[in-house]
Structures are given as structure tokens and as C-alpha cells.
Amino acid sequence: MTVQLIKGGRFNLSQEVPNLKKLAIALGWQANLAGKNCEIDASAFMLGTDGRIPHEDYLVFYNNTKSLDGSVKQSATDNYSPRKGYINTLYGVDLSKMDTAIEQIVLIVTIHDAESVGMNFSKISNAFISLYDSQTKVELTRYELKENFTVETALEFGRLYKKSGDWRFQAVGQGYKSGLRSFVEKYYVEK
């Protein structure tokens, strides 16, 4: 049975599914573009204990679809199922391959060039993030973003993080008036 989360809600994957090694993270939304052409992109920022990306290849997005350690892979999709809704981006996560330096994965969705195309998340509906066991295909937890966004052009859907040796998920639902570059600047420092 799927655990439905609300904003701020948490789910302990390690306790609920003790032998979980591979999971999938599905992100979905529907855009009311009304004749506009725009790109909406998902990004996974894999962070160390300092809250930063240890290497640029720990940012998994449309231009780098596999993490440096091979534990996180992204695929764009445009699937629909009545139970899950529109799945726009799917992440495969193999916890057994995860670099021990990685403490959390922040999942962000941004509207590319939002200002010039006049888009923001007020024109996006049915947004959700869902985690499920890759092997059994059982949905474990789901967060449907029901907040009323107005000017936001980026959203943190959720984060997968390690605490006391357990992998946990938090439903975040935080909106920002920014783009992908601002998150790269926040989480990555060139060495």
C-alpha cells in the first residue's frame, strides 16, 4: 500500500523496505502551454556531507544522464497510466552502487528560459513525485504537489537522504523564482 505524503512529510525507506537496493523515482506533471513552446527539465543533485556536489558528474540531468558512480540514471519519458499520471522523468537509483560520500539527492524541476517564454508553475498541474521498488514495481510512497504556485519557475519536489545509516525520503514542494543555473551555483563549487 502506497504511503501518501503531504508537504514536509517523511518516509523511511530502510525501515519500510529493509532489503531495498534498487528504486525508481518518477516525476510527473502536466503543462498548460496554450500554444507556448517550453522545456521543463528534472535534475538530481547528489550531495555530500557538506551539502555540495563532490564532482560535476553527480549532477544528473538532460546533459548528463548517469552519475559518476553509476548509481543514478535518468531517462525522459512521456508515459501515462491512470494510476500514476503523466511520468515525464524517471530516475533509476541503485543504492548498492552509491558512492559512500553521497548523503542526499535533491530532485529539482525547472522551466528552461521561463521568463522569455512567460511560463511559471501556476501553469503546471498534477505534479507528483513517486518512489517505488524497481524489482517488484510496488509504489512505496507518493507526494502530489497541491500547493498554489504563482511566479515560481523552479520547484524542489523532494529529497532522498541518509540519516543514521537509513535512506529516507522527504516531500519538499518548495518553489523558487530561479532557474537551473542558480541551483548549480548553490550546490557545486568548481575545484
Side-chain angles (χ1 to χ4, degrees), residues 13 23 45 50 64 69 73 79 91 94 98 101 111 156 159 163 166-167 186:
L13 288 160
L23 68 138
F45 291 81
D50 62 354
N64 179 49
D69 60 8
K73 296 176 184 174
N79 293 333
Y91 282 96
D94 187 337
M98 187 84 60
I111 300 171
E156 180 180 339
R159 59 180 59 210
K163 182 177 180 184
D166 286 355
W167 280 103
K186 177 180 178 180

Side-chain angles (χ1 to χ4, degrees), residues 6-8 10 27 29 41-45 47 104-111 121 127-129 143-147 149 152-161 169-179 183 186-187:
I6 60 170
K7 184 174 181 169
R10 297 171 195 267
L27 296 101
W29 56 85
D41 301 307
S43 304
F45 291 81
L47 312 178
Q104 62 179 311
I105 301 171
V106 179
L107 295 140
I108 306 283
V109 175
T110 55
I111 300 171
F121 275 94
F128 72 90
I129 183 169
Y143 167 47
E144 295 176 3
L145 289 80
K146 296 188 186 267
E147 293 73 23
F149 298 105
E152 294 82 354
T153 54
L155 287 179
E156 180 180 339
F157 275 43
R159 59 180 59 210
L160 186 65
Y161 65 98
F169 174 74
Q170 179 185 8
V172 178
Q174 178 65 48
Y176 301 89
K177 191 168 180 359
S178 62
F183 292 100
K186 177 180 178 180
Y187 292 126

Side-chain angles (χ1 to χ4, degrees), residues 30-86:
Q30 288 177 281
N32 178 11
L33 300 176
K36 295 182 182 194
N37 186 15
C38 83
E39 284 180 45
I40 302 172
D41 301 307
S43 304
F45 291 81
M46 300 173 69
L47 312 178
T49 55
D50 62 354
R52 303 259 187 203
I53 299 170
H55 184 279
E56 65 184 11
D57 288 339
Y58 282 116
L59 167 54
V60 183
F61 68 125
Y62 62 87
N63 209 25
N64 179 49
T65 58
K66 183 178 173 184
S67 65
L68 182 65
D69 60 8
S71 67
V72 176
K73 296 176 184 174
Q74 182 197 60
S75 65
T77 180
D78 198 13
N79 293 333
Y80 177 77
S81 73
R83 194 175 71 75
K84 294 181 182 164
Y86 287 93

Side-chain angles (χ1 to χ4, degrees), residues 110-181:
T110 55
I111 300 171
H112 180 71
D113 224 5
E115 285 188 25
S116 68
V117 296
M119 275 293 288
N120 58 51
F121 275 94
S122 70
K123 297 172 182 150
I124 306 295
S125 60
N126 301 319
F128 72 90
I129 183 169
S130 170
L131 278 67
Y132 60 92
D133 185 321
S134 293
Q135 293 170 317
T136 64
K137 307 292 188 225
V138 171
E139 186 175 54
L140 304 171
T141 188
R142 181 182 186 88
Y143 167 47
E144 295 176 3
L145 289 80
K146 296 188 186 267
E147 293 73 23
N148 291 320
F149 298 105
T150 54
V151 299
E152 294 82 354
T153 54
L155 287 179
E156 180 180 339
F157 275 43
R159 59 180 59 210
L160 186 65
Y161 65 98
K162 200 182 326 180
K163 182 177 180 184
S164 303
D166 286 355
W167 280 103
R168 304 164 191 239
F169 174 74
Q170 179 185 8
V172 178
Q174 178 65 48
Y176 301 89
K177 191 168 180 359
S178 62
L180 180 59
R181 177 173 292 287

